[in-house]
Amino acid sequence: GTCVEGASEEVFWVDCRSAQVSWTVPEMGQIIDLVRLSQSLEELEQRHLALSPKAFQESAVAAESLPFELMPENPDVEMSSSKLPWKCIRLTCYAQLAAWIFTVLVILLDPKYYDSAIAPREMYDQVALWKVQTDWPHEYFRPSALSCDKNLKLMLGDQFAIYAADLKLIGTGAADSVEGVTGRNSSDDRVKFLRTVTLQPMMLTSELDQSWRSFAFLPKKGKLLLLNQDGTEVEEYALRGHHYVKTWTLSNSLPHKKLEAIQAVEGEESKECAKESSGFVNAGWLVYAATDSGQVVTLCPTYRNELHPLLMVISLRHRKAAKDLVEVVDSHTGTTKASSSRIIAIVRDPSTNWIWLLNTNTEGMAEVTAWDTETERNKEMGRWALPSGRWWVPGMCYLGQNQGLLIAAAADTNRVGQVGGPELWRLAPAKRKSDNHGAHPAHKAR
């Protein structure tokens, strides 16, 4: 320390051990500089704090965030730009969510997409429609036409031959029913089970002169009626001898019209053609036919080997002409193309006098409709969509009151990558409680 007395200044020393003051200079190595000591202590404390883990992490984080801190988001805003990455991620998620919502709305609200044949959905009623187990004659069987009679004798055409099977319906509680094992979906307890359908050859290629578009058969007469591919002639064959009998041509009363499908009926239903005033031959049968213009007519045989129109049963021309072009949009590519619809099957339900129609178009979409022909304007009683992506063959088989219909389909070879074999389906809609005359329901399946 220093001691100032007047104009003189004296330096004194303090012994830290004895606390005595000395005016003599101590030996070298025994002098402690308090100023330098305090500076050294401060430096040591700073070094200790700098080497601690907490301080190291804080300095590392500060160093990493320094580039973001040096990029101002806006010169006029003091908000830190370190939040910019999070904002970018958040905006990207919002944009993706908006795209998803827009896509869902398009699928639900756009009728063109919803009606597309390859839209990713199946619209058919899986309670009223299911597959029937069938023993197919060979691996490459491709159904071409279908028909049956009141005795449940099924006739199913291949590409070159015709096969037959006896359909057997058994009680709803039968344990040996294939439908009971594989899962019968109909909710109506009165719908009976159907045994496995086993097809056997009936008319071979050598016994048939040409291919067909549709066919029907008359069990009482033992006749088979084949509609040719042009839809202008019907050839008659004998089922017993398997030989050709005659050819029925269309009357001139049907100018510029072709038939798409036929169904032959016998007995009481054919009495209209047997009236003396009709001028037709009493052949004991008549034909329900669908024309290419969307009409269903009854045809009676004449002495000139012609099929003459008797009645117009249903006309869909005022609703949608059979050859009207319908705009269909591919659900994946978005391309628009034309599609035409037509009637390929007619079945009359004798228990209700309803007419069941099978409608299909060039895009593989099909549906079954039911019509009450006893009303003034042919009221539509029901509509059931069929599975898409298939080629539905002309003809339906009526299984009896409350038992539904049989329809056949094959893989659509016009579709790229389409695979699958022949299929036999059964449509048996549930019965309404309010129905008093044993008819099928009039609900919409879609």
Side-chain angles (χ1 to χ4, degrees), residues 349 352 354 356 398 400-404 429-430 432 435 438-442:
D349 186 346
T352 61
W354 287 10
W356 294 79
Y398 176 68
Q401 185 175 353
N402 298 324
Q403 302 307 313
R432 290 180 299 174
D435 194 349
H440 288 287

Side-chain angles (χ1 to χ4, degrees), residues 11 13 16-17 118 164 170 184 202 264 353 379 388 415:
V11 177
W13 309 89
C16 295
R17 295 179 180 178
I118 57 177
I170 55 180
R184 181 176 68 88
M202 182 176 182
N353 289 327
K379 181 180 178 182
S388 61
R415 296 181 181 273

Side-chain angles (χ1 to χ4, degrees), residues 228-239:
N228 65 359
Q229 288 289 352
D230 294 333
T232 57
E233 294 180 346
V234 175
E235 291 190 350
E236 180 180 330
Y237 285 81
L239 292 177

Side-chain angles (χ1 to χ4, degrees), residues 192-261:
K192 297 181 180 180
F193 293 105
L194 179 64
R195 291 183 182 271
T196 301
V197 178
T198 302
L199 296 171
Q200 300 293 337
M202 182 176 182
M203 295 191 71
L204 302 178
T205 307
S206 58
E207 301 168 341
L208 299 170
D209 295 336
Q210 61 180 358
S211 60
W212 54 85
R213 174 177 292 189
S214 174
F215 60 67
F217 71 104
L218 306 166
K220 293 182 179 180
K221 300 290 183 180
K223 304 294 184 180
L224 174 67
L225 303 179
L226 295 180
L227 177 64
N228 65 359
Q229 288 289 352
D230 294 333
T232 57
E233 294 180 346
V234 175
E235 291 190 350
E236 180 180 330
Y237 285 81
L239 292 177
R240 293 179 178 87
H242 294 181
H243 60 85
Y244 167 81
V245 178
K246 66 174 67 174
T247 297
W248 299 88
T249 59
L250 297 183
S251 170
N252 293 330
S253 300
L254 290 172
H256 311 296
K257 291 183 180 179
K258 299 180 180 180
L259 302 184
E260 296 286 349

Side-chain angles (χ1 to χ4, degrees), residues 33-47:
D33 191 342
L34 296 179
V35 176
R36 293 182 60 186
L37 180 60
S38 62
Q39 292 178 354
S40 299
L41 291 175
E42 291 178 359
E43 293 177 358
L44 180 61
E45 184 178 1
Q46 291 178 357
R47 290 170 59 189

Side-chain angles (χ1 to χ4, degrees), residues 53-321:
K54 181 178 180 181
F56 178 78
Q57 293 177 1
E58 292 178 354
S59 61
V61 172
E64 292 177 356
S65 61
L66 184 60
F68 295 98
E69 298 292 343
L70 295 179
M71 292 190 301
E73 184 178 359
N74 193 319
D76 299 330
V77 178
E78 296 182 356
M79 185 181 296
S80 173
S81 61
S82 60
K83 298 181 180 180
L84 185 60
W86 163 244
K87 291 181 65 177
C88 293
I89 296 175
R90 183 178 58 183
L91 293 176
T92 302
C93 293
Y94 286 160
Q96 188 174 8
L97 181 61
W100 286 346
I101 294 176
F102 176 76
T103 303
V104 171
L105 292 177
V106 168
I107 295 175
L108 294 178
L109 302 179
D110 188 357
K112 294 180 181 179
Y113 178 90
Y114 204 68
D115 292 337
S116 176
I118 57 177
R121 87 285 182 268
E122 285 289 1
M123 289 295 298
Y124 72 93
D125 186 355
Q126 299 185 13
V127 175
L129 183 66
W130 65 93
K131 284 185 181 181
V132 175
Q133 185 165 334
T134 308
D135 289 338
W136 301 102
H138 54 83
E139 182 180 359
Y140 302 103
F141 190 93
R142 182 173 177 81
S144 59
L146 179 146
S147 183
C148 69
D149 63 0
K150 294 182 179 179
N151 298 323
L152 299 184
K153 180 76 171 182
L154 174 67
M155 297 183 65
L156 187 61
D158 193 5
Q159 291 179 294
F160 310 110
I162 297 178
Y163 294 79
D166 292 324
L167 303 178
K168 295 182 180 179
L169 294 173
I170 55 180
T172 58
D176 58 346
S177 169
V178 174
E179 285 184 315
V181 176
T182 60
R184 181 176 68 88
N185 297 324
S186 178
S187 59
D188 194 338
D189 293 336
R190 285 167 294 186
V191 176
K192 297 181 180 180
F193 293 105
L194 179 64
R195 291 183 182 271
T196 301
V197 178
T198 302
L199 296 171
Q200 300 293 337
M202 182 176 182
M203 295 191 71
L204 302 178
T205 307
S206 58
E207 301 168 341
L208 299 170
D209 295 336
Q210 61 180 358
S211 60
W212 54 85
R213 174 177 292 189
S214 174
F215 60 67
F217 71 104
L218 306 166
K220 293 182 179 180
K221 300 290 183 180
K223 304 294 184 180
L224 174 67
L225 303 179
L226 295 180
L227 177 64
N228 65 359
Q229 288 289 352
D230 294 333
T232 57
E233 294 180 346
V234 175
E235 291 190 350
E236 180 180 330
Y237 285 81
L239 292 177
R240 293 179 178 87
H242 294 181
H243 60 85
Y244 167 81
V245 178
K246 66 174 67 174
T247 297
W248 299 88
T249 59
L250 297 183
S251 170
N252 293 330
S253 300
L254 290 172
H256 311 296
K257 291 183 180 179
K258 299 180 180 180
L259 302 184
E260 296 286 349
I262 59 174
Q263 183 209 10
V265 295
E266 296 178 290
E268 295 293 329
E269 302 177 52
S270 63
K271 285 186 176 181
E272 292 294 329
C273 295
K275 293 181 179 180
E276 294 182 0
S277 60
S278 64
F280 302 137
V281 60
N282 186 7
W285 55 272
L286 65 79
V287 173
Y288 283 89
T291 68
D292 59 350
S293 59
Q295 298 172 332
V296 177
V297 298
T298 54
L299 302 177
C300 293
T302 68
Y303 291 102
R304 297 184 297 272
N305 292 337
E306 291 182 345
L307 295 177
H308 194 280
L310 178 66
L311 296 174
M312 176 75 67
V313 182
I314 296 175
S315 179
L316 304 183
R317 299 181 66 177
H318 65 283
R319 297 175 180 268
K320 181 187 294 185

